[in-house]
Amino acid sequence: MLFEDPVIASRFLTLLTLSFHIIYATIGVGVPLMIMIAQWIGIRKNDEHYILMARRWAKGFVVTVAVGVVTGTAIGLQLSLLWPNFMELAGQIIALPLFVEVFAFFFEAIFLGIYLYTWDRFEDQRKHFLLLIPVALGAGMSAFVITIVNSFMNAPQGFDIVNEQLVNVNPIVAMFNPAMPTKVAHVLATAYMTVAFMLAAIAAYNLIKGSNHVYHKKALYLTMKVGLIFALAAALIGDLSGKYLAEYQPEKLAAAEWHFETAEGAPLLMYGALNENNEVKNAIKIPYALSILAFGDPTAEVIGLNEFPAEETPPLIVHYYFDLMVTIGVFMIVISLIFWIGIKRGWTFIKARWYRWLIVLGGPLSFLAIEAGWWMAEVGRQPWILNGIMTVEEAATSNKHVGLMSILFLLLYIVLGIGTIVVLRRIFKDNPVEKELEPLQDGDNTWH
């Protein structure tokens, strides 16, 4: 059977766990910021709708945090069990951010608990708002330090290997590697963007289903605006990421773009298919765009994939992950930009059912873009687990029972996923906005 190979089974289980955990991790990073923004606006404008947004979002957030703890713990265990040789080496170098991540999580969880249990305990809501600052900082710090570990895997430094012995270890140099700035910035920006569009999708869905409450209109306006800001930020950081790849991991960039021959003024390829001779068919070619993405110069030379040994060439499927990520990102920028301009110009079609369905679609699509981005990052580093130093096969366990573990964890994630949906539906279905707030007079001015 396929899973009898422990390397393949280990890769599958890691992929499964990371793909499931990234959903909860993204929510865990993005929701605290959205709660902060909503509560701050509510305090500043003395608007009970925004205060209620913060309160309701916080209720749902607790559920996802609980599941995120389970999946995060699973990742920690799997790193040691599935990739022991990697942890034996990397653990001596990059253990510091892993320790800081635990501290950041407890920092976040403690203040989140205090925040949740002190609603209505403060006469001055600004004091209650202050409790959100360490929650958001803890969430952001968790993403920061974990992404540093992934950055180290892509650009390892801060150590030497002499006679197969690890020497001259410097954890600080290892943490602040060349991949760190763009990876951390991209992870944070896309997390905030995705959560904003997720909350926008919920608001739009409620409006479609007939709830014309001003609360949902305000929620939609706020989340679409925040989503647009971070979608544009993610696009800018993505451009910087392309320039990092061109300098430090040119084989990943070449694989993502199916760029086989070194050439000047290289076009960027979107979509298409490869034949048996690795010839690209039916792709959309954007002239000079790959050279611009790589070096900011339309005439720059971009190294082709044929320059690298075949055994070090990343899987060409990463091209589709790149296409998916970029397509969804552009779609969300367009949808949110039109929405924002439409509010200012009074375009009525942005209130139409069909347009709100596009916004609803943007919620799951944004999470799919997050997944595609991580698949590209991880698959694009193949065959290396530690770029240029240790391959995946060298790092993996030799245990023959990983396949069984994969099945058990798959069942666990199905239960956790379904359980999350059921609990969240019960929480909000039994406590609709109309039940928590007296209906207010509706009008166009309630969009602002």
Side-chain angles (χ1 to χ4, degrees):
M1 293 177 63
L2 184 63
F3 281 174
E4 288 181 354
D5 184 341
V7 177
I8 294 176
S10 296
R11 290 183 63 186
F12 173 81
L13 181 51
T14 304
L15 170 67
L16 178 66
T17 302
L18 286 175
S19 297
F20 188 73
H21 176 70
I22 197 64
I23 298 172
Y24 294 91
T26 298
I27 294 172
V29 173
V31 170
L33 179 66
M34 295 303 301
I35 296 173
M36 280 188 67
I37 293 172
Q39 188 159 347
W40 173 249
I41 293 174
I43 294 170
R44 188 168 60 86
K45 293 186 174 183
N46 193 26
D47 190 323
E48 61 185 340
H49 294 124
Y50 289 103
I51 298 294
L52 181 59
M53 280 179 216
R55 191 164 192 162
R56 286 172 66 86
W57 292 346
K59 287 180 183 177
F61 179 55
V62 174
V63 177
T64 61
V65 167
V67 180
V69 170
V70 176
T71 56
T73 303
I75 289 175
L77 290 171
Q78 289 174 17
L79 278 174
S80 298
L81 295 175
L82 304 182
W83 311 104
N85 298 327
F86 166 74
M87 289 302 295
E88 182 181 1
L89 173 64
Q92 302 177 64
I93 307 165
I94 207 70
L96 178 59
L98 292 173
F99 170 78
V100 173
E101 197 276 335
V102 175
F103 171 80
F105 171 74
F106 281 114
F107 186 69
E108 173 190 1
I110 290 168
F111 281 95
L112 176 61
I114 297 172
Y115 172 79
L116 290 170
Y117 286 102
T118 52
W119 276 104
D120 306 321
R121 299 291 181 93
F122 292 94
E123 291 185 8
D124 187 348
Q125 278 289 321
R126 289 174 295 184
K127 293 180 180 179
H128 187 238
F129 169 82
L130 292 176
L131 292 171
L132 282 172
I133 296 176
V135 176
L137 287 176
M141 181 59 67
S142 292
F144 175 77
V145 292
I146 285 300
T147 307
I148 280 179
V149 176
N150 184 266
S151 301
F152 170 77
M153 295 167 69
N154 285 276
Q157 65 175 33
F159 65 97
D160 293 310
I161 297 178
V162 178
N163 297 325
E164 299 184 355
Q165 297 296 317
L166 199 63
V167 298
N168 302 326
V169 174
N170 189 325
I172 302 301
V173 173
M175 290 172 60
F176 293 92
N177 56 75
M180 186 274 291
T182 53
K183 274 196 168 292
V184 169
H186 198 63
V187 164
L188 291 174
T190 53
Y192 298 140
M193 175 200 79
T194 300
V195 166
F197 287 136
M198 174 193 73
L199 296 172
I202 294 170
Y205 182 79
N206 281 288
L207 291 169
I208 290 170
K209 290 302 178 181
S211 177
N212 203 35
H213 202 288
V214 63
Y215 168 93
H216 298 303
K217 295 182 179 180
K218 289 182 177 180
L220 183 61
Y221 179 78
L222 171 63
T223 52
M224 288 295 280
K225 192 172 185 178
V226 173
L228 173 61
I229 292 170
F230 284 108
L232 292 172
L236 175 61
I237 299 165
D239 176 74
L240 298 175
S241 298
K243 291 168 175 56
Y244 158 78
L245 289 177
E247 182 173 355
Y248 293 97
Q249 290 180 281
E251 70 281 6
K252 180 187 286 190
L253 181 64
E257 280 305 308
W258 286 350
H259 180 65
F260 295 99
E261 300 293 338
T262 300
E264 297 179 353
L268 187 144
L269 303 183
M270 293 293 294
Y271 318 117
L274 286 176
N275 62 19
E276 61 277 5
N277 298 319
N278 280 345
E279 295 174 341
V280 182
K281 302 293 184 181
N282 303 317
I284 298 174
K285 291 186 178 182
I286 306 175
Y288 307 106
L290 182 56
S291 290
I292 294 173
L293 175 65
F295 299 105
D297 180 357
T299 63
E301 181 180 83
V302 181
I303 299 174
L305 202 58
N306 292 339
E307 301 289 332
F308 301 94
E311 64 273 12
E312 296 181 10
T313 299
L316 298 179
I317 195 175
V318 295
H319 174 76
Y320 296 113
Y321 302 151
F322 176 84
D323 286 350
L324 188 60
M325 176 181 62
V326 171
T327 301
I328 295 173
V330 171
F331 174 78
M332 296 313 303
I333 289 174
V334 171
I335 290 296
S336 54
L337 183 61
I338 290 175
F339 180 88
W340 186 78
I341 295 174
I343 292 293
K344 299 297 183 182
R345 298 290 181 89
W347 295 344
T348 57
F349 73 85
I350 62 169
K351 298 180 184 180
R353 285 176 60 89
W354 67 267
Y355 199 83
R356 285 174 174 169
W357 273 118
L358 290 179
I359 296 173
V360 172
L361 181 63
L365 282 181
S366 296
F367 277 99
L368 182 57
I370 287 278
E371 298 282 10
W374 273 104
W375 295 339
M376 177 187 165
E378 297 304 291
V379 177
R381 193 178 59 247
Q382 301 299 313
W384 306 104
I385 191 169
L386 195 58
N387 194 36
I389 294 174
M390 179 181 288
T391 65
V392 170
E393 289 193 5
E394 292 170 342
T397 179
S398 57
N399 192 293
K400 300 293 185 180
H401 301 291
V402 180
L404 176 60
M405 287 178 58
S406 299
I407 296 172
L408 296 176
F409 271 102
L410 177 60
L411 294 174
L412 171 65
Y413 299 148
I414 291 173
V415 171
L416 289 175
I418 294 174
T420 302
I421 296 170
V422 170
V423 172
L424 289 175
R425 278 181 58 85
R426 183 67 59 87
I427 289 174
F428 294 109
K429 188 175 181 180
D430 292 347
N431 296 280
V433 171
E434 290 80 3
K435 185 177 178 180
E436 297 193 45
L437 259 179
E438 289 294 325
L440 299 179
Q441 182 68 31
D442 197 4
D444 285 343
N445 62 328
T446 60
W447 288 80
H448 303 277

